[in-house]
Amino acid sequence: MIDSRTLLMIFDAFFLLSMTAWLGAILFFSFGIAPIIFKALDAAQAARFVRAIFPRYYSWGATSATIALASLTSGVLVRPEYRGLWALVQMVLMLSGILINLYCGNSLTPQINAARDAGPERADRFDQLHRRSVRLNGLMLVFGVVLIVAHAFRPAPQGPGVSEPTPAERARRSVERWQERLEDQGPEQGPPNSPPDNPRDGR
């Protein structure tokens, strides 16, 4: 039988790996790549680089956050003591991160590109959208830090939790239940679902 502690360890591993992928991408892009793009490349090259990297960046974030949400939810399901308002808050934060990534990748980034292509007359619009992008990335960074800290300070699991039986144990339990039904019916009634005796044979 796979006990709840083993299941929780598996789900925690997926949660931490996916959160590391999500949070690490935000940190590396925000503090490693973004500050040097326009210093190392000319304006045209920098624009082409940003257009190529942003869709992949937001797809990576949405995928990582989705795996983290599934892992956290699975951990809560196998450990009833982790259920409650705080677990719901964490799930909402992760769902918000997924939606922000999808919005930025599919709506905000094309708007930023269009404003840049429009030239100086749309410079104000470009600056407005760029500031929105920066704020949303900062918000996702805050979400990620809160989720990692919450996981680090999570209390140790208590109680038996929920266990997952192996296929062999499921089969054995089915046989035992079938045998119990046979014993409850008694030998005179025959096996369950057996056809009734033919009344014309009563002799």
Side-chain angles (χ1 to χ4, degrees):
M1 177 177 293
I2 304 176
D3 60 35
S4 61
R5 289 180 181 268
T6 302
L7 288 171
L8 186 62
M9 287 175 58
I10 295 172
F11 296 139
D12 282 352
F14 279 100
F15 174 79
L16 291 174
L17 286 173
S18 54
M19 285 301 301
T20 300
W22 181 26
L23 196 57
I26 297 174
L27 290 170
F28 181 63
F29 184 83
S30 300
F31 300 102
I33 295 179
I36 65 172
I37 291 177
F38 290 95
K39 294 180 181 178
L41 303 173
D42 60 46
Q45 290 176 329
R48 286 197 299 271
F49 176 81
V50 169
R51 291 189 184 203
I53 197 68
F54 265 142
R56 293 171 175 79
Y57 168 72
Y58 288 120
S59 295
W60 177 273
T63 302
S64 301
T66 300
I67 296 172
L69 176 59
S71 302
L72 177 68
T73 304
S74 300
V76 170
L77 290 176
V78 300
R79 300 302 310 190
E81 65 267 30
Y82 291 150
R83 301 171 191 174
L85 180 60
W86 181 232
L88 179 62
V89 170
Q90 294 178 72
M91 293 176 189
V92 169
L93 290 180
M94 268 184 280
L95 181 59
S96 300
I98 296 170
L99 295 177
I100 290 173
N101 275 294
L102 293 176
Y103 165 70
C104 290
N106 296 282
S107 179
L108 184 58
T109 297
Q111 293 180 56
I112 292 174
N113 294 337
R116 183 189 293 275
D117 293 339
E121 63 271 14
R122 298 298 302 276
D124 291 343
R125 176 64 173 167
F126 172 80
D127 291 340
Q128 176 189 5
L129 295 173
H130 178 69
R131 286 194 298 269
R132 185 186 303 175
S133 174
V134 171
R135 293 192 188 103
L136 289 175
N137 273 275
L139 187 60
M140 288 194 293
L141 179 60
V142 172
F143 288 171
V145 171
V146 170
L147 291 167
I148 290 292
V149 171
H151 186 272
F153 285 94
R154 185 187 66 184
Q158 304 292 329
V162 178
S163 299
E164 179 69 16
T166 63
E169 289 172 330
R170 290 195 190 98
R172 178 176 54 79
R173 291 179 183 178
S174 298
V175 172
E176 290 175 350
R177 286 194 294 268
W178 182 75
Q179 290 175 340
E180 288 173 358
R181 287 198 296 269
L182 282 179
E183 293 172 356
D184 292 340
Q185 289 179 350
E188 69 281 355
Q189 296 184 11
N193 300 323
S194 60
D197 294 335
N198 190 337
R200 280 183 272 179
D201 293 339
R203 59 181 180 271

